[in-house]
């Protein structure tokens, strides 16, 4: 088979490494030295191996942290750590337990690795106790579906860099959640986990990147493969095609392949039994059929003009918005909201919805043509205003968001918007070469719409054709799933909201069934003319080892979104149970690998946070060093690695009434201003020293007794919320130390009233006591220890919603 490979016209060879920031230290290169991605596409699904290589260039044991992206729809199903002659398979555990196991292993001098999900497409890898000169390899296994862009095309998108994100909100006190450069805030309590430091422009390529994609159409009539942002080489072998990324590319933009094939002619239902034969996974593809009859619409167009949208992105966003305005009819009403840190509207169009007349559309396009990129990405207010404008409408209501999605407060936005989006369809248009696809897909799913991603101006016309079809009337709405002869579990259906069926875009529904793999499914709804609509498919049994994992990831994403917007109290436990049962990573679990062999003396390893590339097309060269110099590592001066910053240049323009915005508006001013005197010659330190945490400065030193119990309190606060774990730690960890402290304090004539009472009660507590009694003792113990030690109350775990 011959498949044409068509790179986009703007694709160009990588620029040779040059410029300031070249590596010239005696400590060698950065810890991450390679990323190897191998994808095997079979039909409309892909199995992916991601191999990350870490090397320790220091003369002391190293702990490396890497904040990296993965496809937001991918199911991470395995982790393996390899070092020297050791191979350690990772275990999937509840996240708090996994973090405790990792920290315990590092303190004991064992090699360990932990992978955690911070967003559907942002993950953190920590690899600890890498010996001097040693190389550790981490292998992640993923499975993902290839989302349909139309009835005749699908996309394989693999992100390669986490772009800087705007972090709103007031900074939080206490310990930071992660090692990134942004402060945690009340709006983004884990901002320090999604904000990796950024390499200076001109820094030599620090990471060897390899991407290989094997394509097996599996019977689908594949006609063409298009590489969107990279030059690839092709090898053919019968019906299989292998594509390889050319050497020397940097991790600075998404890797995108578009697969074109002949569209299906009928709906398809696949039934994949589990090995046990008692249950299985179904996958139903619903095809758009029928005609959409337009009806009067109310459309609110929300356009991001923040600083991170500069350059080609702003041009593409203006064009996309103008094309949408041009599709409006006189009987439609609309509003255009452009935003950065403030909301602006077209002149003379007022503050409400206006008719889609020629005059009003001209005013809107005139406003769009005048927009430039500036300021921060304060997204909550304009989306809330859009919902308000559509709230009382009896028409077909549509909200379209055009943005790069580079914000950190996704959960805050979704929780606020979800109750306001009933009967409002939300379509998102993501414009970037390192787009925040996870957020834009989540928002579109909650709003019952579609997400369209645009990585270049050349892609815009094709994307706008899709968008035009989707903001018109859908083919069918109010979709429901009905089974005949197949026992399905309705609570397992993903997506949980079937929403609407749009012209040209198949809808894929997956779920779980029990019993015999036979029967059929029907999808019913209401056509645009008000008549009943239905599509029917009979089941065909197939084998697909990844089907359950791909379904589980989609189901977990639905459950996580329900949790974000305020689901029932037991939802967290359901998410954890589903994750562990199907072996798929989620926000409440983590993969942890611990080597049983002790490699170091157990001291604190040298800590390094891997800097990442500035995404290609982010043209803020003078602002970039301000981020890179904010915090490269916990205990190293970034100037040691990057050299001096360039001569001063003007910051990005400020939002009206606001201070200059670094990173083109991708972060607030506190994100990374350089230290005074950064880049000047400085004396080398003999040994690294950690900065004193802000909350401990000026606090009197603890007594020996207080310090002992502070250490115990810190351990107790990391214990998972499980009855048996709490019993074990109260009786085996706290009680012996507490009894010893009380005895020694009494010998010195010190007051032990509250500590002694707690000690006596713990001795009388039966290990078989019911959960309510155990929890009461647990709460009291933490409070007594906190009062005695003066320890501040901890923040809620960053991966959980506030109560």
């Amino acid at each position: 088979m011959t498949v044409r490979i068509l790179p986009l016209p703007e694709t160009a060879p990588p620029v040779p490494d040059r410029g300031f920031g070249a590596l010239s230290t005696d400590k060698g290169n950065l810890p991450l030295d390679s990323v190897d991605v191998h994808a095997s596409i079979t039909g409309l699904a892909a199995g992916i191996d991601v191999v990350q290589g870490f090397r320790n260039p220091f003369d002391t044991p190293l702990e490396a942290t890497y904040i990296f992206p993965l496809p937001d729809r991918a199911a991470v199903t395995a982790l393996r750590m390899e070092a020297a002659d050791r191979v350690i398979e990772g275990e999937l555990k509840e996240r708090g337990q996994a973090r405790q196991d990792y920290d315990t292993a590092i303190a004991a001098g064992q090699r360990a690795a932990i992978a955690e999900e911070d967003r559907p497409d942002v993950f953190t890898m920590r690899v600890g106790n890498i010996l001097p000169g040693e190389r550790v390899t981490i292998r992640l296994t993923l499975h993902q579906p290839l989302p349909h862009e139309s009835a005749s095309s699908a996309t394989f998108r693999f992100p390669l860099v986490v772009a800087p994100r705007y972090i709103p909100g007031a900074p939080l006190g206490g310990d930071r959640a992660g090692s990134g450069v942004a402060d945690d805030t009340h709006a983004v309590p884990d901002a320090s986990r999604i904000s990796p430091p950024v390499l200076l422009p001109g820094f030599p390529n620090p990471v060897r990147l390899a991407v290989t994609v094997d394509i097996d159409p599996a019977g689908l009539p594949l006609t063409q493969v298009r590489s969107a942002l990279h030059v690839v080489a092709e090898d053919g072998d019968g019906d299989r095609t292998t594509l390889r990324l050319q050497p020397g590319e940097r991790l600075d933009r998404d890797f995108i392949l578009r697969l074109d094939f002949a569209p299906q002619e009928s709906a398809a239902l696949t039934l994949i039994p589990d090995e046990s034969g008692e249950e299985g996974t179904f996958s139903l593809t619903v095809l758009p059929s029928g005609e959409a009859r337009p009806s009067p619409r109310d459309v609110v167009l929300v356009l991001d003009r923040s600083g991170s949208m500069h350059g080609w992105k702003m041009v593409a966003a203006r064009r996309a918005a103008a094309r949408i305005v041009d599709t409006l009819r006189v009987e439609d009403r609309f509003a255009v909201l452009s935003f950065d840190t403030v909301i602006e509207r077209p002149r003379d169009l007022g503050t409400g919805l206006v008719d889609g007349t020629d005059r009003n559309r001209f005013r809107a396009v005139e406003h769009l043509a005048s927009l430039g990129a500036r300021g921060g990405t304060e997204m909550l207010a304009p989306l809330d205003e859009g919902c308000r404008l559509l709230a009382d409408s009896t028409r077909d209501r549509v909200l379209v968001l055009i943005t790069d999605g580079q914000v950190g407060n996704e959960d805050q936005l979704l929780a606020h918007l979800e109750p306001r989006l009933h009967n409002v369809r939300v379509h998102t248009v993501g414009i970037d070469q390192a787009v925040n696809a996870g957020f834009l897909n989540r928002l579109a799913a909650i709003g019952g719409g579609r997400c369209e991603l645009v990585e270049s101006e050349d892609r815009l016309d094709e994307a706008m054709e899709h968008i035009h079809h989707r903001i018109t009337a859908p083919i069918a709405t109010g979709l429901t799933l009905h089974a005949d002869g197949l026992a399905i579990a309705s609570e397992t259906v993903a997506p949980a909201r079937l929403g609407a069926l749009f012209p040209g875009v198949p809808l894929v529904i997956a779920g779980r069934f029990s019993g015999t793999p036979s029967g059929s499914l029907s999808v019913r709804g209401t056509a645009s003319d008000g008549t009943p609509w239905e599509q029917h498919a009979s089941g065909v049994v197939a084998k697909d080892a990844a089907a359950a994992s791909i379904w589980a990831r989609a189901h977990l994403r639905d459950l996580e979104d329900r949790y974000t917007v305020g689901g029932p109290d037991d939802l967290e436990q359901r998410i954890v149970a589903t994750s562990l049962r199907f072996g798929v990573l989620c926000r409440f679990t983590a993969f942890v690998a611990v080597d049983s062999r002790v490699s170091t003396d157990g001291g604190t390893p040298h800590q390094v946070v891997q800097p990442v590339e500035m995404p290609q097309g982010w043209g803020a060269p003078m602002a970039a060093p301000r981020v890179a110099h904010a915090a490269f590592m916990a205990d190293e001066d970034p100037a040691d690695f990057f050299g001096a910053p360039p001569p001063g240049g003007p910051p990005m323009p400020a939002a009206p009434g606001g201070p200059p915005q670094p990173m083109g508006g991708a972060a607030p001013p506190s994100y990374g201003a350089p230290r005074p005197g950064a880049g000047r010659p400085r004396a080398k330190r003999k040994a690294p020293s950690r900065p004193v945490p802000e909350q401990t400065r000026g606090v009197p030193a603890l007594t020996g007794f207080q310090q002992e119990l502070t250490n115990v309190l810190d351990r107790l606060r990391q214990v998972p919320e499980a009855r048996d774990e709490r019993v074990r730690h109260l009786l085996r960890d706290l009680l012996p130390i507490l009894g010893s402290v009380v005895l020694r304090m009494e010998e010195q004539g010190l007051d032990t009233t509250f500590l002694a009472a707690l000690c006596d009660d713990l001795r009388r507590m039966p290990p078989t006591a019911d959960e309510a009694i155990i929890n009461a003792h647990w709460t009291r113990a933490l409070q007594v220890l906190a009062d005695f030690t003066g320890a501040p109350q901890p923040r809620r775990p960053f991966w959980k919603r506030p109560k």
Side-chain angles (χ1 to χ4, degrees):
M1 182 185 74
T2 300
V3 180
R4 296 174 62 202
I5 307 299
L6 302 177
L8 293 186
E10 69 175 12
T11 304
V15 177
D17 298 322
R18 62 178 185 270
F20 69 88
L23 189 65
S24 59
T25 92
D26 58 358
K27 293 186 177 179
N29 213 321
L30 305 173
L32 181 71
D33 66 7
S34 66
V35 171
D36 193 333
V37 180
H38 183 203
S40 296
I41 297 176
T42 303
L44 294 176
I48 309 171
D49 283 332
V50 181
V51 182
Q52 300 170 349
F54 296 89
R55 185 178 60 85
N56 182 1
F58 303 95
D59 55 6
T60 60
L62 171 68
E63 180 184 42
T65 298
Y66 179 35
I67 300 169
F68 66 100
L70 290 174
D72 65 295
R73 300 171 187 263
V76 182
T77 58
L79 176 148
R80 173 185 292 179
M81 177 173 65
E82 301 174 3
D85 59 342
R86 312 286 289 175
V87 176
I88 302 95
E89 298 291 344
E91 294 184 66
L92 186 63
K93 297 184 178 183
E94 186 275 329
R95 191 168 184 173
Q97 183 64 58
R99 291 169 64 85
Q100 183 179 359
D101 289 352
Y102 175 84
D103 291 339
T104 300
I106 298 303
Q110 298 163 276
R111 293 188 195 90
I114 185 170
E116 302 173 75
E117 175 189 318
D118 297 306
R119 296 292 186 276
D121 54 352
V122 179
F123 297 76
T124 297
M125 179 72 69
R126 286 186 290 160
V127 185
N129 283 333
I130 308 174
L131 297 179
E134 184 176 63
R135 193 171 191 276
V136 174
T137 298
I138 304 296
R139 182 183 301 271
L140 294 170
T141 302
L142 292 70
H143 300 283
Q144 74 164 106
L146 270 58
H148 288 277
E149 289 188 338
S150 69
S152 59
S153 68
T155 300
F156 174 74
R157 176 185 297 266
F158 195 92
L160 293 171
V161 63
V162 175
R165 300 188 179 193
Y166 182 79
I167 307 296
L172 295 174
D175 294 336
R176 289 159 59 95
S179 305
V181 299
D183 289 330
D184 301 328
T185 71
H186 76 279
V188 194
D190 62 345
S192 61
R193 293 187 61 82
I194 60 171
S195 54
V198 177
L199 284 169
L200 292 178
F203 193 89
N205 193 354
V207 180
R208 180 189 60 79
L209 171 64
V211 179
T212 304
V213 182
D214 298 322
I215 302 175
D216 178 1
L220 293 176
L222 182 65
T223 59
Q224 180 176 264
V225 178
R226 294 174 286 158
S227 174
L229 295 176
H230 293 83
V231 174
V232 294
E234 174 193 0
D235 294 321
D237 181 14
D239 288 338
R240 292 177 176 270
T241 299
T242 298
L243 307 179
R244 290 184 176 84
L245 182 66
Q246 68 175 12
E249 291 282 10
R250 302 176 76 112
L251 286 83
D252 60 0
R253 60 199 187 277
D254 297 344
F255 179 83
I256 303 170
L257 295 179
R258 291 197 166 83
L259 287 69
D260 297 334
F261 49 85
Q264 295 175 255
E265 297 181 355
S266 61
L269 172 61
T270 304
L271 305 176
I272 304 100
D274 294 344
E275 289 185 4
S276 66
E278 298 178 356
E279 295 182 358
T281 303
F282 71 82
S283 178
L284 171 65
T285 301
V286 183
L287 300 174
S289 61
E291 295 185 1
R293 178 174 297 180
S295 60
R297 298 168 295 169
D298 284 346
V299 179
V300 175
L301 181 61
V302 180
L303 177 66
D304 178 1
R305 62 165 305 176
S306 66
S308 65
M309 292 289 291
H310 68 276
W312 75 270
K313 291 196 290 182
M314 193 72 250
V315 175
R318 291 196 303 254
R319 286 180 55 198
R323 288 277 296 273
I324 292 172
V325 171
D326 284 341
T327 66
L328 299 173
R329 301 159 301 169
V330 174
E331 58 266 32
D332 296 328
R333 299 187 303 176
F334 76 98
V336 173
L337 309 176
S338 59
F339 74 94
D340 45 50
T341 52
V342 296
I343 302 173
E344 293 184 341
R345 295 172 168 83
R347 64 185 179 91
D348 301 332
L349 292 191
T351 59
L353 298 170
V354 298
D355 294 331
T357 62
D358 289 345
R359 175 188 176 278
N360 290 339
R361 287 189 286 111
F362 174 80
R363 290 295 190 201
V365 173
E366 183 182 47
H367 169 73
L368 293 169
S370 69
L371 297 178
R374 69 180 191 192
T377 317
E378 291 290 347
M379 192 177 289
L380 183 59
L383 291 177
D384 188 64
E385 174 66 5
C387 292
R388 185 192 67 79
L389 291 171
L390 296 170
D392 298 326
S393 174
T394 58
R395 300 180 171 203
D396 190 19
R397 292 175 279 176
V398 179
L399 189 152
V400 181
L401 172 65
I402 303 177
T403 177
D404 58 9
Q406 301 299 356
V407 293
N409 59 325
E410 296 99 319
D411 282 358
Q412 182 195 44
L413 290 167
L414 296 176
H416 180 82
L417 294 172
E418 193 273 342
R420 295 163 173 77
L421 291 178
H422 296 301
N423 299 318
V424 176
R425 284 201 311 280
V426 179
H427 300 288
T428 57
V429 183
I431 300 180
D432 201 355
Q433 294 185 354
V435 69
N436 185 352
F439 166 59
L440 297 179
N441 276 312
R442 292 172 72 193
L443 179 57
I446 285 179
R450 299 285 298 187
C451 171
E452 189 76 27
L453 302 181
V454 179
E455 70 278 356
S456 69
E457 287 190 80
D458 297 300
R459 158 76 178 148
L460 186 61
D461 289 339
E462 179 184 359
M464 290 313 303
E465 185 68 23
H466 298 162
I467 295 165
H468 169 67
H469 288 305
R470 293 167 195 174
I471 65 172
T472 58
I475 289 174
T477 57
L479 301 180
T480 56
L481 185 64
H482 302 268
D484 183 9
L486 182 67
I488 66 171
S490 59
E491 70 276 5
T492 69
V493 173
R497 299 183 181 184
L498 300 185
L501 186 65
F502 299 97
V505 187
L507 172 64
V508 179
I509 304 169
R512 297 284 291 171
F513 68 85
S514 58
T516 304
S518 62
S520 61
L521 291 177
S522 299
V523 176
R524 301 169 188 167
T526 302
S528 58
D529 61 1
T531 60
W533 181 96
E534 181 174 355
Q535 208 169 94
H536 177 87
S538 297
V540 176
V541 178
K543 293 183 179 180
D544 184 354
S549 298
I550 291 175
W551 162 81
R553 183 67 200 106
H555 181 53
L556 286 167
R557 187 170 63 245
D558 282 342
L559 294 178
E560 288 169 345
D561 286 343
R562 285 180 57 194
Y563 178 87
T564 296
V565 301
D569 291 340
D570 68 341
L571 194 51
E572 179 185 333
Q573 287 73 31
R574 287 177 55 194
I575 294 172
V576 172
T578 302
S579 173
L580 296 179
R581 178 187 174 191
F582 292 95
V584 173
L585 180 65
C586 74
R587 70 184 291 176
F588 292 106
T589 56
F591 273 107
V592 61
V594 175
D595 189 352
S596 59
R597 178 187 295 174
V598 175
S599 302
T600 75
D601 60 6
T604 302
H606 183 76
Q607 296 182 330
V608 175
V609 183
Q610 175 72 27
V612 303
E613 300 279 356
M614 179 66 69
Q616 188 177 79
W618 284 54
M622 293 304 173
R626 301 173 67 185
V627 176
H629 280 270
F632 166 48
M633 299 184 251
D635 53 12
E636 278 300 320
D637 190 313
D640 288 347
F641 283 80
F642 300 135
M652 293 300 296
Q661 299 289 324
M663 289 305 304
S670 61
Y671 188 87
R675 299 181 322 281
R680 293 201 298 260
R682 54 187 291 277
K684 294 286 185 179
R685 288 170 293 182
K686 293 183 179 180
S689 60
R690 296 183 181 277
V692 179
E694 192 69 35
Q695 67 271 19
T696 65
R697 294 174 186 169
V699 177
L702 300 177
T703 66
F705 298 127
Q706 287 176 309
Q707 187 60 63
E708 281 187 67
L709 294 184
T710 295
N711 295 338
V712 178
L713 178 59
D714 288 343
R715 293 197 297 272
L716 294 182
R717 284 175 169 174
Q718 299 179 40
V719 172
E721 297 177 5
R723 178 199 174 280
D724 292 345
E725 288 293 324
R726 289 183 168 182
V727 170
R728 183 167 65 86
H729 283 82
L730 285 174
L731 299 183
R732 298 184 184 179
D733 188 2
L734 173 59
L735 185 56
I737 296 176
L738 184 61
S740 173
V741 168
V742 168
L743 182 62
R744 284 177 284 142
M745 287 180 64
E746 289 175 345
E747 291 175 349
Q748 298 182 25
L750 300 175
D751 182 14
T752 63
T753 303
F754 295 105
L755 295 179
L758 174 62
C759 190
D760 291 340
D761 288 346
L762 290 179
R763 289 192 178 106
R764 291 194 293 265
M765 182 188 76
T768 56
D770 62 36
E771 187 169 5
I773 294 176
I774 298 299
N775 289 341
H777 279 82
W778 182 265
T779 301
R780 180 186 168 207
L782 295 186
Q783 187 61 58
V784 170
L785 295 180
D787 290 343
F788 177 74
T789 62
Q793 288 297 320
R795 286 195 238 155
R796 185 172 178 80
F798 55 83
W799 60 89
K800 299 185 180 183
R801 68 188 177 202
K803 286 186 175 178

